[in-house]
């Protein structure tokens, strides 16, 4: 099943809304766009990266 950018933003905004229902819708959308940009690694031009971690 495919999702376009608006589908993903709407889904992420719904999560933001659930986490902070007292905030305005514009803030939920801004949070969603921020998360999506970070997931796509836009700040680094989409360069490959790795994150080391342990549990």
């Amino acid at each position: 099943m495919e999702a376009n950018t608006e589908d993903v933003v709407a889904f992420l905004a719904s999560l933001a809304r659930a986490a902070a229902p007292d905030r305005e819708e514009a803030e939920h959308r801004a949070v969603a766009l921020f998360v999506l940009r970070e997931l796509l690694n836009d700040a680094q031009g989409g360069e490959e990266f790795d994150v080391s971690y342990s549990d």
Side-chain angles (χ1 to χ4, degrees):
M1 202 163 135
E2 293 183 24
N4 61 33
T5 300
E6 277 306 310
D7 293 336
V8 175
V9 169
F11 174 74
L12 292 172
S14 74
L15 295 177
R17 188 178 312 108
D22 56 322
R23 301 290 196 161
E24 294 183 14
E25 187 61 31
E27 187 173 353
H28 297 149
R29 183 169 171 78
V31 167
L33 290 169
F34 175 83
V35 169
L36 182 57
R37 283 193 306 268
E38 292 299 309
L39 289 171
L40 294 174
N41 197 24
D42 281 351
Q44 302 301 322
E47 292 180 23
E48 291 185 24
F49 67 94
D50 63 23
V51 176
S52 300
Y53 65 91
S54 64
D55 46 314

